[in-house]
Amino acid sequence: MKKYKLGFIGYGNMAKAIVGGILKSGFLDKSQIAVSRQSDGCADGIFCTNDNSYVATNCEYLVLAVKPQVFKQIDFVCSADCIISIMAGVDSNFISEKLCARGKVIRVMPNTPSQIGKGVTAISENGLGNEYNDFCKAVFKSVGEICYISEDKFDAVTCVSGSGPAYAYYFAKAMIDGGVSNGLDENTSKTLALDTIIGACEMIKANPQIPLKTLISNVCSKGGTTIEAINVFENDALDDTVIKAMTACRKRSEELRAGK
Ligand SMILES: NC(=O)c1ccc[n+]([C@@H]2O[C@H](COP(=O)([O-])OP(=O)(O)OC[C@H]3O[C@@H](n4cnc5c(N)ncnc54)[C@H](OP(=O)(O)O)[C@@H]3O)[C@@H](O)[C@H]2O)c1
């Protein structure tokens, strides 16, 4: 029996989001988690060290949560029963070989809204035993939604959900700025823009049978106001820009895999 249930190599933005979500959900408590990071100390009462090998030999499940470039450079001893990698652009085969952990690696791609229980995590379809998959599923279920996707699609997953929160923040900021430049104060614009985005996303989810094109045209009465805005999006090919941006993101994930 290992000392800790769950260990993390790297305790940055994403690991903190996952741990924050797990603790909030009550799935594990602080005494069951250990983390290692480069600098000393953790403010949140979780066991923290800069000895990667200590964490990787004293936990049942180990989450790899360092940057891909860092993982390729560091060496540590690992005897965890199962390894869960959240790293973008690092194949499970590479991890298995580096850590001598064949048959123990599950690759996942979470996102930062996990911190408030609203994440979405892609879990790679893998041939691992149910016990390992059940635990992995429970960890990420405790911080949001999960879905199973084959590992060869993970670069695409990264460019949609892994990096996606930043696109949503970007669009939200643009909408808030748009409200301000059209006469609202910042707070009012923020309230209206954010609740509009949340409400619109809920509408999409509540009406899966209605195509998005129809939902858009339902707001655009002929000769009305909304169509004027949508016409500008169309003329400026905003959709092409979004697709171009996401393709750049996917390509970076592929480059990381190739060690660039
Ligand atoms: N951020 C996201 O939205 C997101 C989403 C999905 C997946 N990911 C993946 O999650 C991983 C981490 O991303 P992040 O955004 O959380 O990065 P981050 O905030 O930069 O955190 C990286 C962590 O790695 C630690 N670290 C650096 N060198 C180390 C070493 N030699 N030994 C042990 N720990 C070391 C850092 O320590 P210090 O704290 O001491 O600096 C830090 O805690 C990446 O592989 C990324 O692809 C991120």
Side-chain angles (χ1 to χ4, degrees), residues 52-171:
N52 292 331
S53 295
Y54 180 83
V55 170
T57 52
N58 280 289
C59 63
E60 285 176 44
Y61 291 85
L62 182 70
V63 179
L64 300 175
V66 286
K67 298 278 187 203
Q69 302 90 325
V70 171
F71 178 69
K72 286 175 183 169
Q73 285 162 9
I74 57 177
D75 283 311
F76 57 89
V77 183
C78 176
S79 60
D81 302 335
C82 177
I83 294 158
I84 299 168
S85 169
I86 68 166
M87 296 182 291
V90 186
D91 289 341
S92 57
N93 279 342
F94 181 90
I95 297 165
S96 297
E97 273 172 33
K98 184 171 164 84
L99 298 181
C100 302
R102 191 150 291 284
K104 290 182 170 183
V105 180
I106 302 177
R107 198 164 156 210
V108 306
M109 179 50 59
N111 64 9
T112 47
S114 299
Q115 189 171 5
I116 56 160
K118 296 278 182 186
V120 58
T121 301
I123 301 177
S124 64
E125 289 159 351
N126 57 73
L128 265 58
N130 277 345
E131 186 194 341
Y132 298 152
N133 274 314
D134 286 351
F135 181 83
C136 182
K137 183 176 167 186
V139 166
F140 292 98
K141 263 271 181 203
S142 79
V143 296
E145 301 295 329
I146 58 161
C147 59
Y148 287 92
I149 297 180
S150 81
E151 191 177 344
D152 61 4
K153 297 272 188 279
F154 262 51
D155 294 320
V157 167
T158 301
C159 90
V160 179
S161 56
S163 300
Y167 319 154
Y169 304 147
Y170 193 98
F171 192 78

Side-chain angles (χ1 to χ4, degrees), residues 165-221:
Y167 319 154
Y169 304 147
Y170 193 98
F171 192 78
K173 183 180 180 304
M175 261 182 89
I176 295 162
D177 291 347
V180 171
S181 70
N182 282 284
L184 295 178
D185 67 78
E186 173 118 16
N187 272 345
T188 307
S189 185
K190 194 171 184 180
T191 303
L192 291 175
L194 296 190
D195 283 337
T196 299
I197 292 169
I198 292 166
C201 291
E202 296 289 340
M203 272 288 282
I204 299 171
K205 279 192 145 182
N207 296 285
Q209 76 290 358
I210 306 181
L212 281 175
K213 246 181 145 171
T214 308
L215 284 176
I216 294 169
S217 68
N218 284 351
V219 198
C220 294
S221 26

